Amino acid sequence: MEFLPSNNKEKSPIRSCSDPADREIPALDNIVPNSPISPYDIKHIVEFLVDEGDFFEIMPDYAKNMVVGFARMNGETVGIVGNQPLVAAGCLDINASVKGARFVRFCDSFNIPLIILEDVPGFLPGTQQEHGGIIKHGAKLLYALAEATVPKITVITRKAYGGAYVVMNSKHIRADVNYAWPSSEIAVMGSKGAVAIICRGDPDIAKREEEYVETFANPFPTARKGRSLRNFRSL
């Protein structure tokens, strides 16, 4: 309860903090694997970013592919929403979408700013998800973020693919600031799948994949269009 205000008309309590807000974190240079299919723990990034590594996770045993919780930055409470690559590659499914949407609505109700850490390859495929209403439940997260009036910052750590990229607080749904790791991929889909469709039958598929990554699957084309603003490591 120490993260929350006593009611929705008061500010969250501010705690004095000896952790410098402008400290450098060299470990972030190597924490995200170069391989797009290698897992890593998004909670390690959260702990590096927030005050004194203090992160209070909410509902840790439910929809583990989505991490939500409270932390502080420069002494002030923030809400953290992040995809967890260790579970289902961080895909959005019904439970993860509902978990994220409820947390975002709660933070918005109590004027708690949001930080979204994004590494999402898309929505989880399958008939079970389709019959369960993945479109309806996925839209809950989209609407929650689009309608939230608190400050919203997105950091793309690796993958931001397709419709899930839009849902996870993109500029298209009124995110305030979007950052991206320089090695991140922002595209309709992964390079391997895209090239297999676009260049089917090409004898040099590996070269076409490299060209696709250089041309599309990186944060710089998106930044030029004003949809992400800064290279995260330049801060």
Side-chain angles (χ1 to χ4, degrees):
M1 297 298 291
E2 65 179 6
F3 289 99
L4 304 177
S6 57
N7 60 69
N8 69 335
K9 294 186 178 180
E10 293 185 7
K11 289 192 66 175
S12 298
I14 298 175
R15 188 175 70 181
S16 59
C17 176
S18 59
D19 193 355
D22 59 350
R23 62 181 162 85
E24 294 187 0
I25 314 172
L28 289 179
D29 289 341
N30 302 308
I31 197 167
V32 178
N34 291 326
S35 170
I37 61 173
S38 296
Y40 64 96
D41 193 343
I42 197 70
K43 287 186 277 190
H44 290 166
I45 294 181
V46 175
E47 290 164 359
F48 278 126
L49 293 179
V50 302
D51 289 353
E52 301 167 352
D54 183 18
F55 174 55
F56 184 75
E57 187 176 358
I58 304 296
M59 300 174 69
D61 296 323
Y62 178 77
K64 293 182 179 181
N65 46 328
M66 175 70 78
V67 172
V68 300
F70 297 107
R72 285 189 174 88
M73 300 196 78
N74 202 25
E76 300 200 29
T77 299
V78 295
I80 304 290
V81 179
N83 306 110
Q84 176 57 285
L86 286 178
V87 181
C91 282
L92 287 177
D93 60 8
I94 292 171
N95 292 341
S97 299
V98 172
K99 177 181 177 180
R102 288 178 176 176
F103 183 75
V104 168
R105 296 285 190 191
F106 182 90
C107 289
D108 191 41
S109 298
F110 285 92
N111 301 305
I112 297 173
L114 289 160
I115 298 175
I116 289 81
L117 299 175
E118 180 177 359
D119 185 350
V120 62
F123 283 93
L124 188 68
T127 55
Q128 183 178 1
Q129 291 291 308
E130 296 290 344
H131 295 162
I134 182 61
I135 295 176
K136 177 181 71 175
H137 294 293
K140 292 177 181 177
L141 180 57
L142 183 145
Y143 273 90
L145 286 165
E147 294 173 354
T149 57
V150 295
K152 297 172 292 183
I153 297 174
T154 298
V155 179
I156 300 171
T157 59
R158 185 166 60 179
K159 288 179 283 190
Y161 291 163
Y165 150 69
V166 177
V167 169
M168 289 297 293
N169 199 46
S170 66
K171 297 294 284 187
H172 307 280
I173 59 172
R174 300 197 290 264
D176 293 301
V177 182
N178 291 59
Y179 298 103
W181 244 256
S183 57
S184 61
E185 300 180 9
I186 305 172
V188 174
M189 60 192 303
S191 58
K192 193 175 186 67
V195 170
I197 297 170
I198 299 169
C199 305
R200 184 168 58 180
D202 192 299
D204 197 350
I205 288 292
K207 183 178 179 181
R208 298 295 170 258
E209 286 183 18
E210 292 177 5
E211 292 173 350
Y212 181 88
V213 170
E214 184 177 345
T215 306
F216 301 110
N218 65 76
F220 303 107
T222 306
R224 283 194 292 269
K225 295 178 181 179
R227 292 170 189 160
S228 65
L229 298 184
R230 283 191 178 182
N231 175 333
F232 186 69
R233 290 185 191 166
S234 70
L235 298 181

